[in-house]
């Protein structure tokens, strides 16, 4: 099947150049014995490129409807990428074939074919960077339509792979993935102050009512930064942030103490010489292993707001990391002119000083959270 798909494309290229064929049938009948390598030697003009793309899409549609996918489809897309790279075909042709392919397949078959597209992500991304918006729009439309068909609860893994492919192939400045208007996600948390007050009588510091209100009250500020930086709200916000950061600092120091006792440093000169000998190689290997480990960290959770769960949540490193990332994004938002463009007043010098202190402290705490705290904190700082 793969050889048949590649041979078909070569025959179409020869046919549209030699006979001006305008359909898949005419291309096939006029291409007997054509030499594929010679056919790709020279670029086609705009009309011939359109004919080639149409013929390949017709061929793919017929084979897909007949249930002949797999190797033939992969070979067809590979040949389309080769022709587009050599500028012998339109740069949109591989993406048009992808769109037709996923539109014609059920979810299970699309998921089975998707790894083939992932393996060709680098070649497709190179085409998209060197073309106009047509190929990029086709790719975005294909992925969005596929995501619309997928169930977020049943096809969670597949949804994530589609989003990862989009993140890999599209630049960070892509308008479809940038929050140009600075819209904030609304907070729909349901707090339980009565239950928190009852837990306060039990004497647990983590379930104290004031800590509960301070901690979950931050989500309202994160969802509406413009209201949070108003003079009447700022003092309360800073007090809550300092309280939460202090709790995080106490937990980090408590977790770090046993590990420091379990692994004492080697004071001998031999130990120092061994460390110096390992030098940069050991550091590079450690960073590489840390990056590999971070790549395996996939953690999805919807955090609950029951006061009875707060102590357990605060002990969770991922939970604290999640909140600290929210805090750093919040500080980034209020420190730039994003809110001013919406009509909010600029921060006063005293507010800017407090925001910078909060940012520095949150970054320090984030770097202290295992696993791979320093690497994670550095990556986030680079992104922000």
């Amino acid at each position: 099947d793969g050889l048949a798909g590649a041979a078909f494309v070569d025959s179409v290229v020869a046919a549209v150049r030699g006979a001006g064929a305008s359909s898949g049938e005419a291309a096939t009948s006029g291409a007997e014995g054509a030499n594929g390598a010679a056919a790709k030697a020279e670029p086609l003009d705009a009309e011939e490129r359109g004919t080639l793309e149409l013929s390949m899409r017709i061929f793919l549609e017929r084979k897909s409807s007949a249930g002949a996918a797999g190797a033939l489809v992969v070979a067809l897309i590979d040949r389309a990428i080769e022709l587009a790279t050599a500028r012998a075909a339109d740069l949109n042709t591989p993406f048009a074939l992808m769109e037709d392919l996923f539109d014609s397949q059920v979810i299970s078959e699309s998921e089975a074919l998707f790894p083939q597209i992932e393996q060709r992500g680098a070649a497709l991304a190179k085409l998209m960077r060197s073309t106009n918006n047509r190929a990029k729009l086709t790719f975005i439309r294909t992925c969005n339509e596929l995501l619309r068909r997928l169930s977020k609860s049943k096809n969670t893994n597949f949804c994530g792979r589609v989003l990862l492919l989009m993140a890999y192939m599209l630049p960070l400045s892509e308008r479809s993935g940038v929050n140009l208007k600075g819209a904030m996600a609304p907070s729909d948390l349901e707090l339980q102050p009565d239950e928190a007050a009852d837990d306060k009588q039990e004497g647990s510091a983590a379930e104290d009512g004031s800590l509960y209100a301070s901690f979950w009250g931050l989500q309202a500020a994160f969802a509406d930064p413009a209201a949070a930086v108003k003079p009447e709200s700022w003092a309360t916000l800073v007090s809550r942030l300092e309280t939460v950061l202090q709790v995080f600092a106490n937990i980090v120091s408590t977790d770090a103490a046993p590990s420091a006792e379990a692994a004492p440093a080697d004071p001998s000169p031999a130990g120092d010489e061994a460390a110096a000998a390992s030098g940069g190689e050991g550091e590079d290997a450690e960073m590489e292993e840390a990056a590999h480990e971070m790549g395996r960290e996939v953690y999805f959770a919807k955090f609950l707001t029951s006061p009875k769960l707060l102590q357990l949540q605060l002990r969770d490193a991922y939970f604290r990391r999640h909140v600290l990332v929210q805090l750093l994004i919040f500080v980034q938002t209020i420190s730039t002119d994003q809110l001013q463009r919406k009509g909010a007043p600029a921060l006063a010098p005293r507010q800017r000083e407090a925001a910078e202190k909060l940012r520095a402290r949150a970054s320090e705490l984030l770097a202290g959270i295992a696993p791979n705290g320093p690497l994670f904190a550095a990556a986030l700082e680079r992104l922000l």
Side-chain angles (χ1 to χ4, degrees):
D1 285 343
L3 293 176
F8 171 80
V9 176
D10 292 338
S11 65
V12 170
V13 174
V16 295
R17 176 178 290 119
S22 58
S23 68
E25 294 82 0
T28 305
S29 62
E32 295 292 337
N35 186 317
K40 294 185 293 181
E42 299 178 3
L44 303 176
D45 59 31
E47 183 178 356
E48 291 172 339
R49 291 181 181 183
T51 301
L52 174 61
E53 179 178 328
L54 178 61
S55 301
M56 296 175 69
R57 297 178 71 174
I58 292 175
F59 182 77
L60 176 63
E61 180 183 4
R62 289 181 176 178
K63 293 299 181 180
S64 298
S65 61
L72 184 145
V73 171
V74 172
L76 195 65
I77 294 178
D78 282 340
R79 191 52 58 93
I81 293 175
E82 292 174 10
L83 292 173
T85 303
R87 300 300 189 269
D90 193 272
L91 297 177
N92 184 60
T93 300
F95 301 95
L97 292 175
M98 283 175 46
E99 183 177 25
D100 292 346
L101 173 64
F102 288 118
D103 284 347
S104 63
Q105 305 295 318
V106 297
I107 297 300
S108 59
E109 294 174 346
S110 297
E111 188 170 8
L113 288 169
F114 196 75
Q116 302 293 339
I117 304 300
E118 290 176 316
Q119 293 175 9
R120 291 152 179 81
L124 291 170
K126 185 177 180 180
L127 287 177
M128 202 154 47
R129 287 194 296 267
S130 61
T131 184
N132 53 21
N133 288 332
R134 187 184 174 200
K136 182 169 64 177
L137 293 176
T138 303
F139 173 73
I140 294 174
R141 183 172 62 246
T142 301
C143 292
N144 286 338
E145 179 61 23
L146 189 57
L147 289 171
R148 188 189 64 81
R149 293 168 54 196
L150 297 176
S151 169
K152 293 184 178 179
S153 58
K154 295 181 180 179
N155 307 112
T156 306
N157 186 50
F158 192 14
C159 287
R161 289 169 62 188
V162 174
L163 291 173
L164 285 174
L165 182 65
M166 296 179 71
Y168 171 74
M169 293 183 58
L170 296 172
L172 290 176
S173 58
E174 168 57 34
R175 290 178 62 86
S176 63
V178 177
N179 187 6
L180 295 175
K181 296 182 179 180
M184 300 293 172
S187 177
D188 57 352
L189 292 177
E190 296 182 3
L191 304 183
Q192 304 169 27
D194 296 337
E195 189 177 349
D198 295 339
D199 288 340
K200 185 177 180 181
Q201 300 175 1
E202 298 178 3
S204 174
E207 294 178 354
D208 182 80
S210 60
L211 175 59
Y212 176 85
S214 297
F215 181 82
W216 289 114
L218 295 178
Q219 296 301 317
F222 295 161
D224 190 3
V229 298
K230 292 181 179 179
E232 60 270 21
S233 306
W234 180 253
T236 302
L237 172 63
V238 172
S239 176
R240 287 178 170 178
L241 287 172
E242 290 177 346
T243 299
V244 171
L245 291 178
Q246 183 58 47
V247 172
F248 283 8
N250 294 339
I251 294 174
V252 171
S253 60
T254 302
D255 292 343
S259 61
E261 296 175 1
D266 184 4
S268 65
D272 296 339
E273 293 177 1
S278 61
E281 294 182 2
E283 184 177 351
D284 292 342
E286 182 180 352
M287 292 291 288
E288 184 177 352
E289 174 62 25
H292 183 64
E293 183 178 346
M294 285 182 62
R296 296 196 302 265
E297 293 176 15
V298 179
Y299 190 79
F300 267 70
K302 180 175 177 60
F303 299 120
L304 304 177
T305 59
S306 171
K308 295 180 179 180
L309 298 176
L310 186 56
Q311 182 177 8
L312 293 175
Q313 290 173 325
L314 292 176
R315 303 296 304 182
D316 184 357
Y318 286 99
F319 183 80
R320 300 197 305 274
R321 179 178 284 181
H322 184 93
V323 175
L324 289 172
V325 170
Q326 282 186 306
L327 171 56
L328 290 172
I329 293 175
F330 170 77
V331 173
Q332 170 86 356
T333 301
I334 64 176
S335 300
T336 60
D337 61 347
Q338 182 175 327
L339 296 180
Q340 284 72 51
R341 292 198 299 267
K342 294 184 175 183
L347 291 182
R350 201 173 280 183
Q351 288 179 311
R352 289 189 177 278
E353 182 180 354
E356 179 59 27
K357 290 181 179 179
L358 290 170
R359 185 202 64 77
R361 192 175 184 191
S363 298
E364 181 182 358
L365 290 173
L366 190 63
I369 296 178
N372 308 312
L375 183 60
F376 184 91
L380 181 64
E381 182 179 2
R382 178 68 179 271
L383 288 174
L384 293 177

